[in-house]
Every structure is written in C-alpha cells, then in structure tokens.
Amino acid sequence: MSSENSSADDVRHVWDVVVVGAGPAGASAAYAAAVAGRRVLLLEKAELPRYKTCGGGIIGPSRDALPPGFELPLRDRVHAVTFSSNGRFTRTRRSKQMLFGLINRPEFDQQLVEHAQKAGAELRTGVTVQRVEQHGSAVPDRRTVAVVLQGGEVLLARAVVGADGSASRIGAHVGVKVDQVDLGLEAEIPVPETVAEDWKGRALIDWGPMPGSYGWVFPKGDTLTVGVISARGEGAATKRYLEEFIGRLGLAGFEPSISSGHLTRCRADDSPLSRGRVLVCGDAAGLLEPWTREGISFALRSGRLAGEWAVRIAEAHDAVDTRRQALNYTFAVKAGLGVEMSVGKRLLTVFERRPGLFHAALTSFRPAWKAFKEITQGSTSLGEIVRTYPVAQRALTALDRRPATGGEVSSSE
C-alpha cells in the first residue's frame, strides 16, 4: 500500500476500526463502532457458526448489554437451581421469575455477528491475524495500525480491538497479565425425552472436591451441558471430577456429542487494557468474574465499551489524544467490571477455604438466595451488594480473616 496517506485513494484502504475475533466481545465491539457510522472490519479465524466450550448461561447483565431488537435464541429458561456439595446435601431453590436463560453458543455468536453486519460492519472469516504493528515499514503514519495476516496481507486501521480469546495474540501485543488460570471441561450430552423433561427449567450447581471448583448441569432441550471447572494444574483431578459427576447424575450411559476443554484466564489488577491505538476486551483482556468464571456478560459489556472508545481513538489526531481516550476506556472498564472482579476475587478466596459455608447460605439463608436471584436476573451486581449493604461488606471482611475449618458441611437442612 502507498505510504502517501493523504491521497483519497489510499484513505479508502484504511479502516476506522478493525476488530479481531467474532465472539461476543468482538461482535459487540464491531456493532458499537458500526452503529457510530464508522468503517468497521470484523475478522474471525474460524468459519461461522463455530462451537465454543461454554455453559451458555445468559444472566441479566448479558441480556441488558445486547443490541436493541436482539431476540435471544433461548433453549431453556431456568426457574430453579439445585445445589449440592460434592454430590451431597442436595437442595433445590425456586423462583417465580426466570433466573437466567440458556443458549447454544454457535447460534448466539452467529446472531451477534449478524447484528454487527446489519449495523454496517464487514465480516471476513477464515483469516488468522499473526500480529499488529504500530511502528515500522508497514505503518504509513502514527495514526495507523498495521494488522498483519497469515500469508502476509496487511490491513490498515485507525484503531484495533483485540477480542481474540484467552490465548490472544493482540493481548500479547498489549501485554495482558493474568493471575488466575482455570481449566473448564464440558460435555454436551444428548438425552432421551424422559430425562430431558426431568431437567427442564432447572439447573444444577455442585460445589466440587478441589478448592474453588464447581460443576454445573444446564438443560438445553434434548441436550444437557454438563461441565466442571477448577484451578489449572489439577488436570487429572478435574477430569476425574467430571467423570464422577456425570456418573452420580446417572448420565454415564449417554454418549456425549461433544467433549471439550478450555482455559479461562483472569487478568491481574495492574494488567493493561490498551497499547497505543490497540484496545483489548473480553477474554483477550482477561475480563471475567473470578469466582464463577462467568465470561459472557463481561465480553458483551467490555466489547461494547471497546467499540465505543475505538471510535474515539480512530478520531484521535495525536499520541496525547490517543492516550487520553485509551485511559478513559480503562477507567470505564475498571469502574464497572473491575469492581465486580475485585469482589469476585474475594469471594473466590473465601469459597476456596469454606465451600460448605456458601452451600449452607444459598440453601438455607434467605438473603443469600435473594442476592443470588437478583444478581442472575440483573437487578443488582456483586459490587452493588457489597457497596449497598454494610452487613455484606462486614461479613466479607470477617470471612477474609477467618481461618478455614474444613471444606465440608455437616448439615444443610
């Protein structure tokens, strides 16, 4: 490409915003930038629709972050949750209002991408981004980022959003640092109608045998999504937990249609969210809830913010203005999602030491169940609960300090 960036012909070849990765974070970023009237290119290495290891739970904050007119492709609506502690002390709690919805990721992601395209974003699939460059021969001026594809093709952009997942190349460019890595294992299990009927509208959450681990069953019509998650480094124990969990549920006789694994990475507090004209969001930025490892709502919300601020960075004429807009993006992420993450980290620490306490609270203590309902329904957040209720702040502070007294509960009901 010509380096004479002032020529009208060359300007046409510079995208306002290039988004790398077409998952919920990338599609949300592309939508937000395209709605603002910018020339947006959305790149995805896979062909769509594609499978992702993910429970597929859509909580209130996810629903509230969707584009206007988005119809959720729900497979089921959860009104009841069964809690157990490593298979014991089982108790089911119910809600008149829906707690959360369940989707299949290929359908959901595809629909998000279509909304971005309708807003004006252009999609290219089957392309792998090797690196981004903000200096050097491929970059015509200081207002431009070069996106280098496998095979050598170079795309130019005024701003780049990295939404390329937890093993992000754009995240490496930005210098994302993680301080928590977990291994999630999941099986999609087709079941007969009689079994499916038993699970309809009801999810299961099981507090697992390793510190910080838990398992889940999410019903999706004729298929159950069964998964477990725990700290990386416990691979064999995590695999054993999933096998035992499936066996305990009476599902061992059914052949999974898909078995998969995935590492989730949670950012360190001082991890950057930008470098020059490049922003990161979603998994690429290590943005997820540390206790539950819920990532869809963080992807949708951070993606939208990244798209909005990428527009401002695309319009920035110098390094000072670029830096100001990038800092504003960081502040916006930290003020909302960052607060939730810091509370989630504290909860995970307590949960790792005292899972029995969490189980007893959710199954027997009305305010704890009420908080669970309100968080999943989207009427409040972890951060808001701790901020609004001094008793919650005091309880969390007290639990932070108390030593563990064994992980199991002696009695729940």
Side-chain angles (χ1 to χ4, degrees):
M1 285 196 183
S2 163
S3 63
E4 294 169 353
N5 199 45
S6 55
S7 80
D9 182 58
D10 195 57
V11 167
R12 282 205 302 274
H13 292 292
V14 181
W15 295 90
D16 292 321
V17 179
V18 168
V19 180
V20 183
S28 296
Y31 174 84
V35 155
R38 297 303 177 272
R39 296 183 69 242
V40 180
L41 178 63
L42 178 58
L43 302 174
E44 169 57 44
K45 68 179 178 186
E47 297 297 339
L48 297 175
R50 49 97 179 92
Y51 180 78
K52 277 282 180 189
T53 305
C54 174
I58 298 294
I59 59 174
S62 300
R63 186 194 59 236
D64 296 342
L66 293 167
F70 190 97
E71 289 285 330
L72 274 166
L74 292 182
R75 289 301 175 127
D76 204 345
R77 293 166 167 78
V78 172
H79 285 79
V81 179
T82 299
F83 295 98
S84 60
S85 183
N86 201 18
R88 302 189 297 160
F89 313 115
T90 302
R91 176 96 186 265
T92 299
R93 311 231 40 177
R94 300 181 187 280
S95 167
K96 286 192 177 73
Q97 288 84 36
M98 181 175 85
L99 293 164
F100 52 93
L102 296 171
I103 50 93
N104 282 333
R105 279 289 300 277
E107 293 172 299
F108 178 68
D109 291 14
Q110 175 76 29
Q111 214 168 298
L112 282 169
V113 167
E114 286 168 5
H115 272 259
Q117 288 176 288
K118 281 179 199 153
E122 192 169 309
L123 172 70
R124 276 183 66 181
T125 58
V127 289
T128 300
V129 172
Q130 283 210 310
R131 65 186 184 279
V132 290
E133 294 178 10
Q134 302 196 63
H135 310 283
S137 58
V139 185
D141 59 45
R142 288 182 178 177
R143 285 194 61 212
T144 310
V145 183
V147 179
V148 184
L149 306 183
Q150 205 168 39
E153 185 184 351
V154 177
L155 304 169
L156 298 179
R158 297 279 176 236
V160 170
V161 175
D164 48 337
S166 63
S168 167
R169 290 192 180 189
I170 313 299
H173 173 81
V174 166
V176 171
K177 294 185 288 184
V178 298
D179 68 1
Q180 178 188 326
V181 184
D182 295 289
L183 170 65
L185 298 176
E186 198 163 71
E188 301 283 349
I189 305 178
V191 292
E193 199 175 321
T194 49
V195 177
E197 195 57 40
D198 183 47
W199 285 96
K200 190 173 167 55
R202 177 174 67 96
L204 182 142
I205 295 173
D206 177 74
W207 314 116
M210 295 89 75
S213 67
Y214 76 97
W216 61 89
V217 180
F218 287 168
K220 297 174 186 174
D222 58 3
T223 300
L224 299 178
T225 297
V226 183
V228 299
I229 195 160
S230 81
R232 184 178 66 170
E234 297 273 1
T238 307
K239 192 164 182 286
R240 194 161 55 248
Y241 175 31
L242 179 61
E243 286 167 1
E244 288 172 359
F245 186 43
I246 288 171
R248 273 203 310 264
L249 295 165
L251 300 172
F254 305 116
E255 187 67 31
S257 57
I258 300 173
S259 294
S260 61
H262 177 66
L263 289 177
T264 65
R265 295 176 170 91
C266 203
R267 71 187 289 274
D269 284 340
D270 61 345
S271 179
L273 292 165
S274 68
R275 179 178 168 189
R277 290 176 170 266
V278 179
L279 305 177
V280 284
C281 60
D283 282 344
L287 291 165
L288 70 156
E289 202 284 292
W291 174 38
T292 61
R293 292 80 152 187
E294 189 279 321
I296 295 178
S297 80
F298 281 73
L300 293 168
R301 292 180 286 173
S302 65
R304 186 167 68 180
L305 290 171
E308 289 168 357
W309 258 276
V311 167
R312 295 173 179 132
I313 285 171
E315 292 166 351
H317 284 280
D318 57 35
V320 174
D321 195 19
T322 301
R323 180 83 182 128
R324 185 187 303 124
Q325 299 303 346
L327 284 171
N328 284 341
Y329 168 66
T330 297
F331 179 76
V333 171
K334 286 187 170 181
L337 301 178
V339 171
E340 289 177 40
M341 288 183 75
S342 64
V343 176
K345 274 183 184 171
R346 290 173 71 189
L347 280 171
L348 176 64
T349 303
V350 177
F351 173 64
E352 284 173 339
R353 289 184 291 140
R354 305 174 64 82
L357 195 67
F358 274 75
H359 183 70
L362 281 166
T363 55
S364 308
F365 186 51
R366 194 181 294 271
W369 170 244
K370 184 170 180 278
F372 178 91
K373 280 199 302 185
E374 289 178 352
I375 288 166
T376 57
Q377 289 166 342
S379 59
T380 189
S381 68
L382 278 174
E384 278 172 30
I385 284 175
V386 171
R387 200 165 47 239
T388 313
Y389 297 102
V391 65
Q393 177 68 56
R394 286 198 299 272
L396 200 50
T397 304
L399 287 166
D400 279 344
R401 296 192 189 118
R402 278 171 66 179
T405 55
E408 291 299 342
V409 276
S410 57
S411 171
S412 152
E413 299 174 61

